[in-house]
Amino acid sequence: MKRSEHAATVVARLASDLFQAEASQDEAVSQLGRLAQSLTRSRREAGLSATVGQAAFDALADAVAAQIGAQRAMVALHEALADVKRNTSWRSVQMGGLEKSDEPLPRPTGLALVS
């Protein structure tokens, strides 16, 4: 295997793992949001005062803050990996995804029939 092919394989694996980790974090934030809705709805349906269970809401707020902090760290990880790529022989590997701009790419949104 040529060095460039090996580099492309390594970078592709790393990018895949990175994107899976990011997707997991997004899902965790989403789940925490659902939990917040469930806590609120459950307390209301049980006819409990807003003061009941406040410690649970406080703990959930801490969990959300921690998860958002983890996402911030993933952004820093992205930037660190982009620096590694720019400052090593890996810069010649043509792989997208490690350097993301603040402008989201337009994505096709059309639906297609799958049979």
Side-chain angles (χ1 to χ4, degrees):
M1 178 181 289
K2 292 182 184 178
R3 181 178 168 100
S4 62
E5 291 172 352
H6 175 70
T9 300
V10 169
V11 171
R13 183 185 62 235
L14 178 60
S16 175
D17 291 345
L18 179 64
F19 298 147
Q20 284 180 347
E22 290 175 335
S24 295
Q25 286 183 318
D26 287 344
E27 181 60 25
V29 170
S30 181
Q31 290 290 336
L32 289 169
R34 282 194 277 284
L35 178 56
Q37 289 177 325
S38 182
L39 284 173
T40 303
R41 184 175 41 251
S42 298
R43 182 169 63 181
R44 185 177 53 243
E45 288 175 357
L48 300 174
S49 162
T51 61
V52 174
Q54 186 58 43
F57 283 94
D58 292 341
L60 178 59
D62 290 344
V64 169
Q67 189 59 47
I68 299 302
Q71 286 182 313
R72 188 176 304 109
M74 287 300 289
V75 169
L77 175 60
H78 245 289
E79 292 167 358
L81 288 172
D83 285 344
V84 168
K85 185 174 188 266
R86 272 191 300 274
N87 297 319
T88 64
S89 61
W90 296 77
R91 67 182 164 273
S92 62
V93 178
Q94 296 297 317
M95 293 294 290
L98 291 181
E99 297 161 336
K100 293 186 177 179
S101 70
D102 291 334
E103 299 293 321
L105 297 173
R107 304 264 191 240
T109 57
L111 298 176
L113 178 62
V114 178
S115 58

XYZ file of all heavy atoms in Angstrom:
848
model
N 0.853 -1.177 0.000
C 0.000 0.000 0.000
C 0.896 1.236 0.000
O 1.821 1.339 0.797
C -0.917 0.001 1.238
C -1.807 1.211 1.326
S -2.884 1.232 2.807
C -4.037 -0.057 2.428
N 0.593 2.157 -0.877
C 1.357 3.393 -0.939
C 1.143 4.217 0.312
O 0.124 4.116 0.976
C 0.934 4.222 -2.153
C 1.297 3.622 -3.477
C 0.862 4.585 -4.565
C 1.103 4.015 -5.931
N 0.648 4.922 -6.976
N 2.142 5.058 0.590
C 2.057 5.915 1.780
C 0.817 6.804 1.723
O 0.128 6.978 2.733
C 3.323 6.751 1.886
C 3.351 7.652 3.084
C 4.673 8.406 3.141
N 4.620 9.454 4.103
C 5.123 9.392 5.323
N 5.714 8.280 5.713
N 5.039 10.402 6.144
N 0.495 7.353 0.556
C -0.677 8.239 0.449
C -1.974 7.471 0.653
O -2.914 7.984 1.260
C -0.684 8.955 -0.904
O -0.776 8.018 -1.961
N -2.022 6.225 0.187
C -3.215 5.405 0.404
C -3.367 5.067 1.881
O -4.471 5.095 2.424
C -3.133 4.118 -0.426
C -3.247 4.333 -1.913
C -2.965 3.064 -2.707
O -2.535 2.040 -2.105
O -3.169 3.093 -3.921
N -2.251 4.751 2.518
C -2.280 4.447 3.958
C -2.742 5.674 4.741
O -3.584 5.572 5.635
C -0.902 3.994 4.433
C -0.807 3.776 5.911
N -1.449 2.728 6.540
C -0.182 4.481 6.875
C -1.217 2.798 7.837
N -0.448 3.856 8.067
N -2.202 6.835 4.384
C -2.584 8.071 5.072
C -4.072 8.341 4.891
O -4.758 8.710 5.837
C -1.756 9.244 4.541
N -4.581 8.150 3.697
C -6.006 8.378 3.440
C -6.858 7.422 4.262
O -7.906 7.809 4.801
C -6.304 8.230 1.950
N -6.425 6.184 4.420
C -7.158 5.205 5.216
C -7.175 5.609 6.690
O -8.222 5.565 7.348
C -6.516 3.804 5.064
O -6.559 3.435 3.691
C -7.238 2.771 5.897
N -6.032 6.027 7.189
C -5.938 6.433 8.593
C -6.813 7.651 8.853
O -7.575 7.707 9.829
C -4.468 6.713 8.983
C -4.372 7.385 10.344
C -3.656 5.429 8.955
N -6.718 8.645 7.971
C -7.501 9.873 8.149
C -8.995 9.575 8.030
O -9.797 10.105 8.801
C -7.061 10.953 7.135
C -8.002 12.143 7.160
C -5.639 11.405 7.441
N -9.386 8.717 7.116
C -10.805 8.371 6.954
C -11.341 7.691 8.208
O -12.446 7.997 8.664
C -10.994 7.463 5.743
N -10.541 6.784 8.802
C -10.969 6.113 10.032
C -11.100 7.113 11.179
O -12.077 7.100 11.923
C -9.989 4.999 10.396
C -10.425 4.216 11.636
C -9.404 3.183 12.075
N -8.161 3.824 12.449
C -6.962 3.513 11.921
N -6.857 2.576 11.006
N -5.890 4.146 12.327
N -10.126 7.992 11.286
C -10.155 9.005 12.337
C -11.359 9.925 12.168
O -12.076 10.209 13.129
C -8.863 9.820 12.323
C -8.770 10.951 13.326
C -8.886 10.427 14.747
C -7.471 11.710 13.132
N -11.604 10.367 10.950
C -12.751 11.250 10.695
C -14.058 10.548 11.030
O -14.948 11.136 11.650
C -12.736 11.713 9.241
N -14.181 9.283 10.661
C -15.397 8.523 10.954
C -15.629 8.422 12.462
O -16.741 8.656 12.949
C -15.296 7.123 10.343
O -16.412 6.342 10.704
N -14.569 8.094 13.200
C -14.696 7.988 14.656
C -15.033 9.336 15.283
O -15.847 9.415 16.211
C -13.409 7.432 15.268
C -13.167 5.968 14.914
O -14.117 5.296 14.448
O -12.029 5.506 15.099
N -14.419 10.393 14.781
C -14.692 11.736 15.283
C -16.147 12.114 15.052
O -16.831 12.597 15.957
C -13.758 12.744 14.607
C -13.920 14.201 14.992
C -13.590 14.409 16.465
C -13.022 15.065 14.120
N -16.643 11.873 13.858
C -18.023 12.238 13.541
C -19.017 11.395 14.325
O -20.075 11.883 14.732
C -18.285 12.149 12.043
C -17.430 13.090 11.235
C -16.994 12.747 9.978
C -17.037 14.329 11.745
C -16.207 13.605 9.238
C -16.244 15.192 11.013
C -15.829 14.840 9.744
N -18.694 10.120 14.580
C -19.564 9.288 15.407
C -19.613 9.812 16.837
O -20.677 9.840 17.462
C -19.093 7.834 15.391
C -19.426 7.100 14.120
C -18.931 5.663 14.161
O -18.149 5.259 15.012
N -19.394 4.871 13.200
N -18.478 10.238 17.362
C -18.440 10.790 18.713
C -19.268 12.069 18.781
O -20.013 12.285 19.742
C -16.994 11.058 19.142
N -19.155 12.911 17.757
C -19.940 14.147 17.730
C -21.435 13.843 17.657
O -22.234 14.496 18.330
C -19.532 15.008 16.542
C -18.152 15.610 16.704
C -17.707 16.357 15.470
O -18.188 16.055 14.355
O -16.865 17.259 15.617
N -21.806 12.874 16.851
C -23.220 12.501 16.739
C -23.738 11.971 18.073
O -24.874 12.261 18.465
C -23.406 11.460 15.629
N -22.903 11.225 18.787
C -23.297 10.717 20.104
C -23.523 11.862 21.080
O -24.464 11.829 21.876
C -22.227 9.782 20.660
O -22.114 8.630 19.865
N -22.679 12.875 21.007
C -22.865 14.025 21.887
C -24.148 14.772 21.546
O -24.879 15.193 22.439
C -21.668 14.968 21.800
C -20.464 14.405 22.503
C -19.314 15.363 22.483
O -19.029 16.008 21.487
N -18.633 15.464 23.599
N -24.419 14.945 20.263
C -25.666 15.597 19.864
C -26.868 14.819 20.386
O -27.829 15.399 20.889
C -25.754 15.720 18.339
C -24.827 16.773 17.771
O -24.339 17.625 18.540
O -24.589 16.750 16.552
N -26.803 13.507 20.286
C -27.894 12.660 20.768
C -28.036 12.779 22.281
O -29.160 12.816 22.801
C -27.672 11.201 20.365
C -28.776 10.262 20.801
C -30.151 10.603 20.240
O -30.250 11.238 19.170
O -31.153 10.222 20.886
N -26.932 12.867 22.993
C -26.992 13.011 24.455
C -27.684 14.314 24.840
O -28.516 14.335 25.751
C -25.587 12.949 25.052
N -27.366 15.410 24.160
C -28.022 16.688 24.448
C -29.516 16.580 24.163
O -30.349 17.042 24.944
C -27.379 17.839 23.643
C -28.203 19.115 23.755
C -25.964 18.090 24.112
N -29.851 15.927 23.075
C -31.255 15.737 22.722
C -31.990 14.915 23.789
O -33.103 15.250 24.200
C -31.352 15.052 21.356
O -32.682 14.867 20.979
N -31.358 13.858 24.267
C -31.953 13.015 25.308
C -32.142 13.792 26.605
O -33.152 13.631 27.294
C -31.079 11.780 25.560
C -31.070 10.780 24.432
C -32.399 10.065 24.284
O -33.173 9.959 25.226
N -32.667 9.567 23.096
N -31.173 14.629 26.945
C -31.305 15.450 28.149
C -32.466 16.428 28.019
O -33.183 16.676 28.992
C -29.992 16.193 28.440
C -28.840 15.315 28.929
C -27.534 16.105 28.932
C -29.139 14.735 30.295
N -32.668 16.952 26.828
C -33.818 17.827 26.596
C -35.131 17.078 26.787
O -36.073 17.591 27.403
N -35.194 15.848 26.267
C -36.399 15.034 26.458
C -36.621 14.730 27.930
O -37.751 14.728 28.414
C -36.305 13.744 25.642
C -36.607 13.937 24.166
C -36.837 12.618 23.450
N -35.627 11.942 23.027
C -34.870 12.278 21.991
N -35.171 13.324 21.270
N -33.806 11.589 21.681
N -35.538 14.482 28.653
C -35.650 14.220 30.089
C -36.195 15.442 30.815
O -37.050 15.319 31.698
C -34.295 13.809 30.662
C -34.251 13.538 32.163
C -35.269 12.468 32.570
C -32.837 13.143 32.576
N -35.750 16.628 30.435
C -36.263 17.860 31.057
C -37.770 17.981 30.819
O -38.521 18.329 31.738
C -35.531 19.081 30.497
N -38.213 17.680 29.614
C -39.651 17.716 29.317
C -40.393 16.687 30.156
O -41.463 16.967 30.702
C -39.901 17.436 27.835
C -39.466 18.549 26.920
C -39.666 18.177 25.462
O -39.500 17.031 25.063
N -40.027 19.164 24.660
N -39.819 15.507 30.270
C -40.469 14.437 31.024
C -40.557 14.784 32.519
O -41.598 14.536 33.151
C -39.695 13.130 30.829
O -40.328 12.076 31.505
N -39.488 15.351 33.065
C -39.526 15.744 34.478
C -40.616 16.783 34.725
O -41.387 16.676 35.687
C -38.172 16.312 34.915
C -37.046 15.327 35.159
C -35.736 16.076 35.404
C -37.370 14.409 36.315
N -40.681 17.771 33.860
C -41.678 18.834 34.013
C -43.089 18.282 33.875
O -43.969 18.556 34.700
C -41.437 19.939 32.965
O -40.103 20.421 33.115
C -42.404 21.081 33.124
N -43.297 17.481 32.838
C -44.624 16.914 32.593
C -45.033 15.986 33.734
O -46.164 16.029 34.218
C -44.637 16.170 31.257
C -45.990 15.619 30.856
C -46.016 14.979 29.461
N -44.840 14.181 29.145
C -43.893 14.535 28.266
N -43.973 15.687 27.628
N -42.859 13.742 28.030
N -44.110 15.165 34.196
C -44.417 14.213 35.266
C -44.781 14.929 36.561
O -45.733 14.538 37.248
C -43.223 13.286 35.503
O -42.957 12.524 34.347
N -44.044 15.964 36.876
C -44.347 16.714 38.099
C -45.719 17.371 37.996
O -46.515 17.324 38.930
C -43.254 17.765 38.351
C -43.482 18.547 39.632
C -42.299 19.395 40.026
N -42.020 20.425 39.036
C -41.017 21.290 39.124
N -40.188 21.226 40.151
N -40.831 22.193 38.209
N -46.012 17.934 36.840
C -47.310 18.590 36.642
C -48.446 17.563 36.695
O -49.461 17.770 37.355
C -47.323 19.338 35.304
C -48.586 20.143 35.065
C -48.562 20.937 33.756
N -48.241 20.102 32.599
C -47.163 20.245 31.832
N -46.284 21.185 32.091
N -46.958 19.448 30.816
N -48.282 16.432 36.011
C -49.321 15.398 35.987
C -49.538 14.783 37.374
O -50.640 14.337 37.682
C -48.964 14.311 34.971
C -49.104 14.783 33.528
C -48.625 13.750 32.517
O -48.132 12.668 32.915
O -48.729 14.048 31.316
N -48.493 14.783 38.199
C -48.623 14.256 39.554
C -49.247 15.276 40.494
O -49.548 14.960 41.644
C -47.258 13.823 40.086
N -49.439 16.508 39.991
C -50.042 17.549 40.812
C -49.116 18.072 41.895
O -49.571 18.547 42.931
N -47.827 17.981 41.649
C -46.853 18.419 42.649
C -46.502 19.888 42.461
O -46.557 20.426 41.359
C -45.577 17.573 42.543
C -45.758 16.071 42.762
C -44.465 15.327 42.483
C -46.250 15.797 44.176
N -46.115 20.511 43.536
C -45.690 21.904 43.531
C -44.394 22.046 42.741
O -43.603 21.095 42.632
C -45.469 22.363 44.977
O -44.701 23.524 45.029
N -44.159 23.231 42.231
C -42.914 23.509 41.498
C -41.691 23.384 42.392
O -40.568 23.222 41.907
C -42.974 24.901 40.881
N -41.892 23.437 43.692
C -40.756 23.311 44.611
C -40.341 21.863 44.837
O -39.233 21.595 45.301
C -41.087 23.954 45.971
O -42.212 23.274 46.535
C -41.387 25.433 45.827
N -41.219 20.923 44.501
C -40.925 19.504 44.697
C -39.983 19.036 43.587
O -40.222 19.274 42.403
C -42.217 18.664 44.696
C -41.899 17.171 44.749
C -43.114 19.084 45.845
N -38.935 18.381 43.967
C -38.022 17.816 42.977
C -37.049 18.813 42.375
O -36.405 18.509 41.366
N -36.910 19.977 42.986
C -36.004 20.977 42.419
C -34.572 20.459 42.352
O -33.835 20.783 41.429
C -36.064 22.282 43.216
C -35.250 23.404 42.592
C -35.683 23.723 41.168
O -36.867 23.794 40.882
N -34.715 23.893 40.280
N -34.188 19.624 43.308
C -32.826 19.065 43.292
C -32.586 18.241 42.019
O -31.478 18.246 41.472
C -32.594 18.212 44.537
N -33.630 17.557 41.550
C -33.497 16.789 40.307
C -33.272 17.727 39.124
O -32.443 17.456 38.246
C -34.745 15.934 40.082
N -34.002 18.841 39.090
C -33.817 19.810 38.008
C -32.428 20.442 38.072
O -31.794 20.673 37.044
C -34.902 20.885 38.049
C -36.215 20.418 37.516
C -37.177 19.904 38.376
C -36.498 20.478 36.167
C -38.394 19.457 37.895
C -37.713 20.034 35.673
C -38.662 19.524 36.536
N -31.948 20.721 39.281
C -30.609 21.279 39.436
C -29.550 20.304 38.924
O -28.596 20.692 38.241
C -30.335 21.634 40.895
C -31.184 22.796 41.393
O -31.720 23.561 40.556
O -31.321 22.934 42.633
N -29.711 19.024 39.253
C -28.774 18.004 38.785
C -28.826 17.865 37.272
O -27.789 17.710 36.609
C -29.078 16.663 39.462
N -30.034 17.954 36.705
C -30.169 17.891 35.251
C -29.483 19.088 34.595
O -28.801 18.937 33.576
C -31.644 17.841 34.846
C -31.934 17.814 33.348
C -31.278 16.608 32.681
C -33.432 17.823 33.105
N -29.621 20.265 35.197
C -28.946 21.457 34.663
C -27.431 21.254 34.673
O -26.743 21.641 33.708
C -29.331 22.690 35.473
N -26.901 20.630 35.708
C -25.467 20.338 35.766
C -25.072 19.362 34.656
O -24.012 19.512 34.035
C -25.086 19.749 37.128
C -25.177 20.764 38.260
O -25.228 21.986 37.985
O -25.194 20.321 39.432
N -25.920 18.361 34.418
C -25.636 17.382 33.366
C -25.636 18.046 31.988
O -24.770 17.752 31.152
C -26.654 16.243 33.417
N -26.589 18.927 31.752
C -26.650 19.634 30.470
C -25.406 20.505 30.307
O -24.770 20.502 29.245
C -27.944 20.476 30.351
C -27.893 21.406 29.151
C -29.162 19.566 30.274
N -25.034 21.232 31.353
C -23.844 22.085 31.284
C -22.590 21.259 31.000
O -21.735 21.665 30.199
C -23.689 22.877 32.574
N -22.489 20.101 31.626
C -21.334 19.231 31.395
C -21.308 18.728 29.954
O -20.243 18.674 29.321
C -21.360 18.051 32.371
N -22.472 18.375 29.417
C -22.528 17.872 28.045
C -22.170 18.974 27.051
O -21.462 18.732 26.077
C -23.911 17.295 27.738
C -23.976 16.568 26.420
C -23.011 15.402 26.338
O -22.931 14.585 27.254
N -22.268 15.312 25.265
N -22.648 20.180 27.298
C -22.311 21.300 26.424
C -20.808 21.576 26.512
O -20.156 21.874 25.505
C -23.134 22.554 26.790
C -24.629 22.284 26.615
C -22.688 23.763 25.994
C -25.055 21.865 25.218
N -20.228 21.442 27.701
C -18.780 21.578 27.854
C -18.035 20.521 27.050
O -16.989 20.798 26.453
N -18.567 19.317 27.024
C -17.949 18.244 26.233
C -18.012 18.572 24.742
O -17.060 18.308 24.001
C -18.640 16.913 26.518
N -19.114 19.157 24.304
C -19.203 19.567 22.899
C -18.172 20.651 22.588
O -17.550 20.633 21.526
C -20.601 20.060 22.563
C -21.612 18.943 22.464
C -22.978 19.442 22.086
O -23.470 20.415 22.641
N -23.593 18.783 21.127
N -17.988 21.576 23.507
C -16.983 22.629 23.332
C -15.596 21.995 23.182
O -14.782 22.417 22.360
C -17.023 23.584 24.515
C -16.168 24.806 24.376
C -16.316 25.770 25.549
N -17.707 26.175 25.767
C -18.471 25.799 26.794
N -17.984 25.017 27.735
N -19.706 26.209 26.914
N -15.316 20.970 23.979
C -14.031 20.276 23.896
C -13.871 19.569 22.550
O -12.762 19.505 22.004
C -13.897 19.282 25.050
N -14.965 19.048 22.007
C -14.897 18.407 20.691
C -14.557 19.426 19.601
O -13.844 19.109 18.649
C -16.210 17.688 20.365
C -16.417 16.421 21.156
S -15.136 15.164 20.918
C -15.512 14.638 19.258
N -15.059 20.636 19.733
C -14.700 21.693 18.778
C -13.197 21.943 18.859
O -12.515 22.047 17.833
C -15.504 22.984 19.049
C -14.954 24.147 18.249
C -16.976 22.753 18.741
N -12.667 22.009 20.078
C -11.231 22.203 20.262
C -10.447 21.030 19.678
O -9.382 21.212 19.077
C -10.905 22.385 21.744
N -10.978 19.822 19.834
C -10.342 18.641 19.262
C -10.298 18.739 17.747
O -9.274 18.440 17.120
C -11.084 17.374 19.705
C -10.613 16.060 19.083
C -9.151 15.796 19.405
C -11.487 14.918 19.570
N -11.397 19.143 17.144
C -11.448 19.347 15.693
C -10.344 20.302 15.259
O -9.614 20.037 14.295
C -12.798 19.975 15.318
C -13.662 19.113 14.487
N -13.403 18.822 13.175
C -14.824 18.505 14.764
C -14.352 18.074 12.695
N -15.243 17.857 13.655
N -10.230 21.424 15.954
C -9.233 22.430 15.602
C -7.819 21.884 15.783
O -6.939 22.130 14.953
C -9.453 23.689 16.431
C -10.742 24.402 16.068
C -11.157 25.478 17.056
O -10.457 25.669 18.089
O -12.184 26.136 16.800
N -7.586 21.112 16.847
C -6.270 20.530 17.077
C -5.911 19.527 15.985
O -4.765 19.496 15.503
C -6.231 19.863 18.452
N -6.876 18.727 15.563
C -6.614 17.763 14.485
C -6.366 18.478 13.161
O -5.518 18.048 12.369
C -7.784 16.787 14.358
C -7.897 15.762 15.478
C -9.199 14.977 15.353
C -6.701 14.833 15.485
N -7.072 19.558 12.917
C -6.838 20.335 11.694
C -5.426 20.916 11.708
O -4.749 20.941 10.673
C -7.884 21.430 11.554
N -4.968 21.350 12.886
C -3.593 21.854 13.006
C -2.582 20.752 12.723
O -1.572 20.977 12.046
C -3.347 22.428 14.405
C -3.993 23.782 14.616
O -4.374 24.433 13.615
O -4.115 24.188 15.795
N -2.833 19.565 13.254
C -1.934 18.431 12.996
C -1.850 18.184 11.492
O -0.761 18.013 10.936
C -2.407 17.161 13.741
C -1.663 15.927 13.237
C -2.234 17.324 15.241
N -2.990 18.180 10.849
C -3.009 17.925 9.412
C -2.236 19.005 8.665
O -1.446 18.699 7.770
C -4.451 17.863 8.899
C -4.537 17.482 7.433
C -5.974 17.285 7.009
C -6.037 16.731 5.613
N -6.178 17.706 4.602
N -2.441 20.262 9.032
C -1.760 21.368 8.344
C -0.254 21.357 8.560
O 0.499 21.772 7.691
C -2.309 22.709 8.839
C -3.512 23.209 8.097
C -3.846 24.653 8.462
N -4.128 24.846 9.880
C -5.319 24.665 10.440
N -6.339 24.295 9.698
N -5.493 24.859 11.734
N 0.195 20.877 9.717
C 1.600 20.991 10.088
C 2.404 19.707 9.930
O 3.517 19.607 10.451
C 1.702 21.490 11.544
C 1.117 22.878 11.685
O 1.323 23.735 10.832
N 0.371 23.100 12.754
N 1.845 18.734 9.250
C 2.556 17.471 9.049
C 2.460 17.066 7.593
O 1.824 17.732 6.775
C 1.954 16.342 9.917
O 0.612 16.100 9.481
C 1.975 16.694 11.397
N 3.050 15.951 7.284
C 2.972 15.439 5.910
C 1.553 15.013 5.542
O 1.240 14.791 4.386
C 3.924 14.251 5.736
O 3.551 13.206 6.610
N 0.670 14.952 6.551
C -0.713 14.564 6.302
C -1.472 15.658 5.553
O -2.572 15.438 5.076
C -1.420 14.257 7.621
C -0.809 13.080 8.326
C 0.344 13.079 9.033
C -1.292 11.756 8.354
N 0.603 11.837 9.532
C -0.393 10.996 9.123
C -2.406 11.128 7.821
C -0.558 9.648 9.352
C -2.577 9.780 8.070
C -1.668 9.057 8.816
N -0.883 16.871 5.464
C -1.579 17.989 4.807
C -1.891 17.684 3.351
O -2.800 18.263 2.781
C -0.777 19.275 4.939
C 0.522 19.299 4.195
C 1.260 20.619 4.431
N 2.658 20.505 4.046
C 3.637 20.074 4.828
N 3.372 19.720 6.063
N 4.863 19.982 4.391
N -1.139 16.763 2.746
C -1.378 16.437 1.340
C -2.525 15.441 1.146
O -2.965 15.217 0.032
C -0.103 15.879 0.713
O 0.272 14.683 1.373
N -3.022 14.862 2.240
C -4.120 13.900 2.142
C -5.412 14.659 1.863
O -5.800 15.553 2.615
C -4.258 13.066 3.431
C -5.434 12.107 3.334
C -2.966 12.315 3.707
N -6.063 14.329 0.780
C -7.298 15.003 0.387
C -8.485 14.359 1.070
O -9.046 13.390 0.594
C -7.477 14.943 -1.146
C -6.422 15.679 -1.922
C -6.432 17.163 -1.624
O -7.495 17.778 -1.556
N -5.258 17.735 -1.423
N -8.806 14.876 2.226
C -9.958 14.391 2.977
C -10.685 15.598 3.525
O -10.069 16.475 4.120
C -9.532 13.506 4.152
C -8.891 12.191 3.757
S -10.027 11.083 2.935
C -11.077 10.643 4.289
N -11.951 15.663 3.336
C -12.728 16.757 3.890
C -13.231 16.403 5.270
O -13.206 15.254 5.683
N -13.679 17.433 6.008
C -14.367 17.178 7.253
C -13.634 17.582 8.512
O -14.257 17.839 9.509
N -12.298 17.618 8.482
C -11.600 17.995 9.699
C -11.606 19.497 9.904
O -11.480 19.972 11.009
C -10.163 17.474 9.689
C -10.027 15.967 9.803
C -8.548 15.566 9.803
C -10.691 15.451 11.066
N -11.738 20.239 8.824
C -11.779 21.690 8.924
C -13.161 22.143 8.513
O -13.530 22.093 7.347
C -10.715 22.318 8.029
C -9.312 21.919 8.454
C -8.290 22.116 7.370
O -8.673 22.122 6.192
O -7.115 22.256 7.708
N -13.943 22.540 9.475
C -15.314 22.953 9.196
C -15.425 24.458 9.335
O -14.883 25.042 10.272
C -16.294 22.272 10.146
C -16.386 20.792 9.915
C -17.459 20.178 10.774
C -17.592 18.704 10.474
N -18.607 18.068 11.289
N -16.144 25.055 8.409
C -16.338 26.491 8.510
C -17.562 26.782 9.366
O -18.346 25.892 9.686
C -16.538 27.082 7.112
O -17.790 26.696 6.586
N -17.684 28.048 9.749
C -18.851 28.454 10.527
C -20.100 28.507 9.665
O -21.209 28.549 10.179
C -18.618 29.823 11.170
C -17.561 29.759 12.263
O -17.389 28.669 12.836
O -16.927 30.792 12.533
N -19.922 28.527 8.365
C -21.051 28.552 7.441
C -21.436 27.119 7.095
O -20.633 26.377 6.523
C -20.676 29.305 6.154
C -20.303 30.752 6.380
C -21.489 31.569 6.848
O -22.601 31.349 6.347
O -21.292 32.414 7.739
N -22.664 26.703 7.417
C -23.051 25.328 7.091
C -23.162 25.142 5.583
O -23.573 26.053 4.865
C -24.412 25.161 7.774
C -24.916 26.549 7.959
C -23.717 27.447 8.078
N -22.764 23.976 5.134
C -22.889 23.670 3.713
C -24.338 23.410 3.376
O -25.057 22.771 4.138
C -22.067 22.419 3.371
C -20.570 22.529 3.565
C -19.921 21.171 3.357
C -19.973 23.540 2.625
N -24.775 23.886 2.206
C -26.148 23.546 1.823
C -26.246 22.047 1.564
O -25.368 21.474 0.929
C -26.378 24.351 0.547
C -25.039 24.786 0.089
C -24.098 24.715 1.254
N -27.235 21.456 2.115
C -27.431 20.014 1.949
C -28.706 19.784 1.147
O -29.715 20.449 1.383
C -27.581 19.340 3.318
C -26.437 19.600 4.253
C -25.439 18.480 4.192
N -24.471 18.609 5.263
C -23.167 18.750 5.041
N -22.715 18.781 3.827
N -22.326 18.840 6.038
N -28.674 18.816 0.247
C -29.915 18.509 -0.469
C -30.956 17.987 0.510
O -30.637 17.200 1.392
C -29.507 17.427 -1.475
C -28.169 16.934 -1.040
C -27.566 17.980 -0.149
N -32.171 18.455 0.376
C -33.218 18.058 1.323
C -34.330 17.277 0.649
O -35.312 16.960 1.283
C -33.816 19.288 2.013
O -34.328 20.176 1.012
C -32.768 19.994 2.848
N -34.195 17.003 -0.612
C -35.244 16.272 -1.305
C -35.323 14.829 -0.859
O -34.341 14.240 -0.424
N -36.487 14.264 -0.954
C -36.697 12.871 -0.604
C -36.654 12.024 -1.865
O -37.019 12.473 -2.947
C -38.041 12.686 0.092
C -38.211 13.434 1.414
C -39.626 13.232 1.936
C -37.210 12.943 2.423
N -36.209 10.812 -1.734
C -36.155 9.907 -2.858
C -36.840 8.601 -2.476
O -36.770 8.174 -1.321
C -34.712 9.631 -3.249
N -37.504 8.008 -3.415
C -38.172 6.741 -3.199
C -37.119 5.635 -3.194
O -36.296 5.549 -4.083
C -39.200 6.469 -4.303
C -39.948 5.158 -4.221
C -40.771 5.111 -2.939
C -40.857 4.990 -5.411
N -37.154 4.813 -2.167
C -36.219 3.690 -2.059
C -37.044 2.420 -2.121
O -38.020 2.266 -1.400
C -35.443 3.760 -0.723
C -34.516 2.562 -0.597
C -34.672 5.049 -0.627
N -36.653 1.547 -3.003
C -37.415 0.296 -3.115
C -36.585 -0.882 -2.709
O -35.399 -0.837 -2.614
C -37.932 0.108 -4.530
O -36.868 0.102 -5.454
